[in-house]
Amino acid sequence: MSQTPPHSSVDRSERAGSPGLVLLLAAALLAIVAFFSLLGREQSPRFILVLLAFLAFTGVSALLAYAVGFLQLAGAHARNDVTKAISDTSPDGMIVTEGESRIVYANETYLALCGASDESGLRTVDRLFFGAPEAAEPLYRLAQAARDGKRGAEELRLTPPLLGDGEFGWYRIRVRPIDRPSSPPAALWTISDVTRERERHENIFQELQHAIDFLDHAPAGFFSTEPNGEISYMNATLASWLDFDLAQVGSGGLALRDIVADDAAAMLSSGPGAPNLVRTEQIDLDLRRRDNRRLPVRLLHRIAYGHDGAPGASRTLALNRAPGEEPAEEARAAEVRFARFFNSTPMAIASVDRDGAILRSNAAFARLMPGALQDAAGRRLVANGVAAAHREALRAAVAAVASGAEASDPIDAALQGSSRSARLFVTSNEEDNERGALVFALDTTEERNREEQLHQSQKMQAVGQLAGGIAHDFNNVLTAIIGYSELLLANHRPTDPSFQDIMQIKQNANRAAGLVRQLLAFSRRQTLRPQVLQLGDVLSELQMLTRRLVGEKIEVDLRQGRDLWLVKADLNQFEQVIVNLIVNARDAMPDGGKIFLRTKNVPAAECESYGEKLLIPADYVLIEVEDTGSGIPPDILGKIFDPFFTTKETGKGTGLGLSMVYGIVKQTGGFIFPYSQVGRGTIFRIFLNRYIPIDEPEEAPKAEEEKPKAAADHTGRGVVLLVEDEEAVRAFGARALASRGYTVLEADSGLDALRVVEETTERIDLIVSDVVMPEMDGPTMFGELRKRGVKCRIVFVSGYAEDAFAKNLPEGEEFGFMPKPFTLKQLIETVKENMRA
């Protein structure tokens, strides 16, 4: 349901036509003055012509200015519509406020953060984070910035998060002023969930810390020197050898001349060189300890030069050559340690030559891209590890960096021979004086799957909200059509010529109501009556119906699992799910075939074997509906649950059957997954949660005595307050109730109902109220009436499920419920029943 802002901001372009209007009025005024000035006075023809020309010029100018202003206004409205559409679909929560607490606008994401279904549940940012001590100071600073008309941004850690069941969440909150001429100052607040971003940063930081720890404790010294001779990095091993404090490194306190004896520093200084040159030298010299003692070392010293020939920072490895240090053993140990680190890192790494041939790679690379290491021709090429569509991009990146170019942009590629994907980073490298490249690969399969699942979930949610909104509005229309049809039928005999016409109107309205119910099922806003079911018994009772549905050409094979667990679902809705799937299977086999209907228990440990990422491990009862039909093409399989999507001929399907199945299963808390192969058939798998009975006192079912009933008495007495914002529905309800003897008070909104209650002198016996209304909805009105001492019973009327609004009612309160669209008989019976309660 889209959020309707309490107030809309007015763009300055709405006044763009004002100057033109002023000029137009001025021209008219001048014409009038000129006319009266000419009366009774003789003027020369030349003077009159000049005056007329001036007035004509002024009028044309005014009309042009007014037209330009009007076009600017139209353009401004178009821009406002686009801006609102972008804001409404933003993944960040957005809210616009005036002053301290007046809410002007909030998008769908902010509604979700508030846990609200409509604007009545909206809260300002400070109220959203109310009660969280960690949010107090950041929100105070942001509020101060908003009052001062400045920008502000803060990040805070919230325990627990606003949404989800995680332990905590990170949120980035920003505020900035909005310039709105001739309107009160406003501020735009943006809330972004950055939990995953912070987690990634923390993971990267931890990996960096591990890498630094490995380097610090390597059995070889390492240091880096800036072109000005300052030592920017030194590992702990070298610092220990030289007895220097690591706190001095990088702060300007330690330079190359402090650790290199005699004039050897000149050998390591980096003077100008050739552009893009990388110079590597092996130098034996003495380093100076802090106590001025000498330490013989062998240095592997490398300097890289930029495009302009300027030197960069050096990379220098130091091997201890002091007596008794066994440099050969230490070097071998360092090599072994590096090899272990190289092969145990989770990032796939490969060194390649300029043609992309792999020189060496680590274990992670062999696991991620085995196709690159299994070339039949005996030459291992890194490009063979990715799908054919991405090979040229990888070859071009390797060739570019091997020729001296900067590191390429990351390449997102599908991997050869699997459904996995990776992000590839290509940087320059040099092996045995030959330029090549280093290829780093990160497995992005899980990330891509999550993005696809999120996209699908957001699409279904958005379509569901749209479908629910359409169904709600149609329910109001259909209620009026059905109601007035019944009022007409009450005044016509079956022999009247118009009786059958009115019956056709009513029947088609009822048919439309059935389609609306399917839309509500898809959007998960219908009323369910869950009960504990043994699915084996339910399917056995459906066998006769399913065999009649499929006809003689198709066989239905029911195979029940043993000792099926119990589930909790709405019996009628579950039967509707099975019937819809059977009918779809039948339509996929026009020449006959076989339908398999299977059930079995699926323990939590077996969930992973089905390969569904969205299936949360738990105990389920599985229902499978399989056919041997033509199958569903892959490009259509992802759309089959969309409302009104159908591949059937016009008039042979509404496209709502599978949408309703999807909605019922999801509202029940289950999962449904389609599997299909063209030419072989389709399987629908439904997973329903296992129900474990709890020792609770159960109410004994009330015995209903079957007695012959006399004609129902639909007359009554009492005062009924009818609250409904749709005038047609309210008029029909008031007329129907009044004709049965009730006194009816009418209100078109929750606020209007409060006014009626305060002004009436009659005692109200029952309130019949719509749920979704402007200004004040039904549940809010109910709470306000209770505060005012109104104790009568209330019946809520809605096209949505009653549990969608029951949580907004005062705790412990009882209420009646009547779904839309309703008939005249249902209205009268519901009122009479609740009047007695």
Side-chain angles (χ1 to χ4, degrees):
M1 181 174 180
S2 298
Q3 171 67 22
T4 303
H7 294 278
S8 358
S9 56
V10 180
D11 192 83
R12 67 183 57 167
S13 59
E14 293 187 19
R15 298 183 299 276
S18 297
L21 183 60
V22 171
L23 285 175
L24 190 61
L25 292 174
L29 183 60
L30 283 172
I32 292 170
V33 172
F35 175 79
F36 282 104
S37 66
L38 291 173
L39 291 177
R41 181 183 301 177
E42 292 186 2
Q43 300 290 346
S44 67
R46 182 178 180 184
F47 172 80
I48 294 173
L49 287 174
V50 171
L51 180 60
L52 290 175
F54 171 76
L55 291 176
F57 174 79
T58 305
V60 171
S61 300
L63 286 173
L64 287 174
Y66 190 79
V68 170
F70 179 81
L71 292 175
Q72 289 176 341
L73 175 59
H77 279 302
R79 289 194 298 275
N80 288 342
D81 290 344
V82 173
T83 302
K84 185 177 185 303
I86 294 172
S87 301
D88 283 346
T89 56
S90 171
D92 298 334
M94 301 175 71
I95 180 173
V96 178
T97 59
E98 287 181 357
E100 294 290 334
S101 60
R102 182 181 177 85
I103 298 175
V104 177
Y105 167 81
N107 69 352
E108 295 289 350
T109 305
Y110 192 87
L111 273 174
L113 291 174
C114 291
S117 59
D118 54 41
E119 66 181 64
S120 63
L122 277 176
R123 290 171 284 169
T124 55
V125 175
D126 58 335
R127 300 299 299 172
L128 182 62
F129 291 92
F130 181 77
E134 59 268 48
E137 288 190 17
L139 288 178
Y140 174 79
R141 291 192 291 268
L142 290 172
Q144 188 62 44
R147 284 192 292 269
D148 296 340
K150 298 179 180 178
R151 293 174 178 262
E154 296 281 350
E155 284 193 13
L156 57 87
R157 185 179 188 270
L158 190 64
T159 305
L162 294 175
L163 297 176
D165 53 1
E167 183 180 349
F168 62 89
W170 279 95
Y171 298 93
R172 181 179 296 127
I173 308 173
R174 289 167 292 186
V175 65
R176 67 176 178 83
I178 298 178
D179 181 21
R180 301 190 308 164
S182 302
S183 296
L188 171 63
W189 297 77
T190 307
I191 302 177
S192 307
D193 188 338
V194 294
T195 306
R196 292 186 179 276
E197 179 181 334
R198 292 296 295 254
E199 288 176 348
R200 284 197 301 271
H201 289 173
E202 290 175 5
N203 291 338
I204 293 172
F205 178 77
Q206 289 176 0
E207 291 178 5
L208 182 60
Q209 287 294 104
H210 290 157
I212 293 173
D213 182 68
F214 291 142
L215 186 57
D216 263 352
H217 298 91
F222 182 84
F223 66 96
S224 177
T225 309
E226 297 296 327
N228 62 3
E230 179 184 344
I231 296 177
S232 57
Y233 178 80
M234 178 184 292
N235 72 345
T237 300
L238 184 58
S240 175
W241 289 348
L242 302 179
D243 195 26
F244 279 102
D245 185 0
L246 281 177
Q248 295 179 264
V249 179
S251 60
L254 198 62
L256 186 62
R257 61 180 179 275
D258 297 322
I259 66 169
V260 178
D262 302 325
D263 294 327
M267 298 173 59
L268 303 178
S269 61
S270 48
N276 300 319
L277 172 68
V278 178
R279 188 181 71 198
T280 304
E281 299 174 291
Q282 179 176 302
I283 305 171
D284 291 318
L285 50 75
D286 288 342
L287 297 182
R288 183 190 298 122
R289 292 189 173 100
R290 191 163 63 92
D291 58 4
N292 284 326
R293 289 189 300 158
R294 298 182 177 230
L295 176 70
V297 295
R298 169 167 290 176
L299 301 181
L300 298 177
H301 183 64
R302 171 175 288 187
I303 300 176
Y305 294 84
H307 294 296
D308 58 354
S314 71
R315 305 288 185 264
T316 306
L317 184 70
L319 301 177
N320 193 338
R321 303 301 298 271
E325 289 293 334
E326 298 180 359
E329 291 298 324
E330 289 292 335
R332 279 196 293 272
E335 184 178 350
V336 171
R337 182 181 290 253
F338 178 79
R340 291 174 62 190
F341 171 72
F342 180 71
N343 279 304
S344 63
T345 180
M347 177 175 280
I349 306 173
S351 173
V352 301
D353 63 16
R354 64 175 56 249
D355 296 323
I358 298 174
L359 304 176
R360 59 183 56 81
S361 61
N362 66 351
F365 189 90
R367 284 195 304 271
L368 184 63
M369 302 174 66
L373 305 174
Q374 300 170 356
D375 189 68
R379 194 176 186 209
R380 307 184 306 171
L381 298 174
V382 68
N384 291 344
V386 301
H390 303 107
R391 288 178 185 171
E392 189 55 38
L394 182 55
R395 291 192 193 102
V398 170
V401 299
S403 301
E406 296 291 334
S408 70
D409 293 332
I411 301 171
D412 291 312
L415 300 184
Q416 177 65 21
S418 71
S419 60
R420 307 187 71 81
S421 61
R423 175 165 291 179
L424 308 175
F425 302 83
V426 183
T427 62
S428 61
N429 185 43
E430 186 173 336
E431 293 272 351
D432 300 327
N433 295 323
E434 291 291 333
R435 294 186 66 87
L438 283 175
V439 178
F440 301 86
L442 283 174
D443 190 343
T444 58
T445 307
E446 294 296 329
E447 180 182 352
R448 186 193 64 185
N449 288 340
R450 281 194 297 270
E451 288 178 354
E452 291 177 353
Q453 291 162 7
L454 177 62
H455 173 73
Q456 178 68 10
S457 174
Q458 288 175 335
K459 184 192 80 170
M460 298 302 281
Q461 181 181 6
V463 175
Q465 288 175 340
L466 175 62
I470 292 172
H472 175 265
D473 291 341
F474 266 93
N475 271 331
N476 284 327
V477 176
L478 292 172
T479 299
I481 295 174
I482 293 171
Y484 281 108
S485 298
E486 291 185 332
L487 289 175
L488 287 172
L489 288 172
N491 295 321
H492 288 73
R493 296 178 180 179
T495 56
D496 291 346
S498 57
F499 187 86
Q500 290 302 321
D501 296 338
I502 300 171
M503 281 297 297
Q504 282 293 325
I505 293 172
K506 180 183 175 183
Q507 289 170 4
N508 280 280
N510 285 326
R511 183 182 170 208
L515 296 177
V516 169
R517 280 192 294 274
Q518 290 179 319
L519 278 175
L520 287 173
F522 170 74
S523 59
R524 291 173 252 171
R525 296 182 181 184
Q526 63 173 345
T527 300
L528 296 184
R529 306 293 184 190
Q531 62 189 89
V532 178
L533 301 176
Q534 170 53 258
L535 291 185
D537 298 338
V538 175
L539 294 177
S540 296
E541 292 175 3
L542 275 177
Q543 265 190 302
M544 292 300 295
L545 173 61
T546 56
R547 290 198 173 107
R548 286 199 301 269
L549 285 172
V550 299
E552 297 180 356
K553 291 183 179 180
I554 298 174
E555 178 187 352
V556 179
D557 186 355
L558 175 61
R559 301 182 183 181
Q560 298 273 28
R562 298 184 59 184
D563 302 322
L564 280 182
W565 295 324
L566 298 174
V567 299
K568 194 168 186 180
D570 185 303
L571 174 60
N572 293 329
Q573 298 294 340
F574 176 75
E575 290 177 344
Q576 194 67 38
V577 166
I578 299 301
V579 168
N580 270 277
L581 293 178
I582 292 291
V583 169
N584 272 277
R586 177 201 67 190
D587 294 344
M589 300 181 291
D591 299 324
K594 196 168 185 178
I595 298 175
F596 298 94
L597 191 57
R598 294 184 287 261
T599 60
K600 64 176 290 189
N601 294 331
V602 179
E606 295 182 13
C607 290
E608 190 175 352
S609 64
Y610 289 91
E612 289 294 340
K613 302 296 183 183
L614 293 177
L615 185 62
I616 301 170
D619 290 342
Y620 297 99
V621 177
L622 170 65
I623 307 98
E624 288 185 336
V625 180
E626 180 180 1
D627 64 63
T628 57
S630 55
I632 304 173
D635 59 325
I636 294 178
L637 191 61
K639 305 175 184 177
I640 59 174
F641 293 129
D642 293 357
F644 303 111
F645 177 82
T646 180
T647 56
K648 297 177 183 178
E649 297 176 14
T650 304
K652 292 189 176 181
T654 63
L656 287 173
L658 287 178
S659 301
M660 182 183 67
V661 167
Y662 176 87
I664 293 172
V665 172
K666 298 301 288 185
Q667 192 173 358
T668 306
F671 298 88
I672 181 168
F673 303 106
Y675 307 85
S676 189
Q677 188 172 352
V678 176
R680 300 194 61 177
T682 303
I683 304 175
F684 284 90
R685 291 195 177 112
I686 300 173
F687 294 84
L688 297 181
N689 286 290
R690 176 187 183 184
Y691 174 76
I692 300 176
I694 304 173
D695 294 332
E696 294 179 350
E698 295 186 0
E699 295 183 4
K702 296 179 181 179
E704 295 185 1
E705 297 181 4
E706 293 293 334
K707 296 180 180 178
K709 295 183 179 179
D713 179 15
H714 288 158
T715 60
R717 289 184 181 179
V719 178
V720 179
L721 173 58
L722 182 60
V723 189
E724 171 62 60
D725 62 316
E726 283 288 334
E727 184 178 354
V729 177
R730 186 175 70 253
F732 152 65
R735 182 176 165 186
L737 292 173
S739 68
R740 294 315 191 266
Y742 295 101
T743 300
V744 182
L745 304 177
E746 298 183 41
D748 60 11
S749 68
L751 286 177
D752 193 32
L754 298 182
R755 178 192 61 78
V756 171
V757 168
E758 291 175 356
E759 293 179 357
T760 185
T761 57
E762 299 186 74
R763 177 180 174 273
I764 297 175
D765 300 300
L766 182 68
I767 299 173
V768 179
S769 173
D770 193 11
V771 174
V772 180
M773 295 181 292
E775 295 181 334
M776 180 182 288
D777 61 15
T780 305
M781 176 203 71
F782 184 46
E784 291 297 321
L785 288 175
R786 285 293 186 257
K787 292 177 184 178
R788 287 164 169 74
V790 178
K791 300 298 183 183
C792 65
R793 188 173 175 82
I794 188 167
V795 175
F796 282 114
V797 184
S798 177
Y800 295 152
E802 60 185 278
D803 56 1
F805 61 86
K807 60 178 179 288
N808 297 325
L809 295 174
E811 189 174 352
E813 289 285 354
E814 293 185 359
F815 62 94
F817 178 73
M818 183 169 60
K820 285 183 180 180
F822 53 82
T823 64
L824 184 150
K825 181 181 177 183
Q826 289 171 332
L827 172 62
I828 299 301
E829 289 181 345
T830 301
V831 167
K832 188 154 189 173
E833 179 184 346
N834 283 273
M835 192 75 80
R836 293 196 304 263

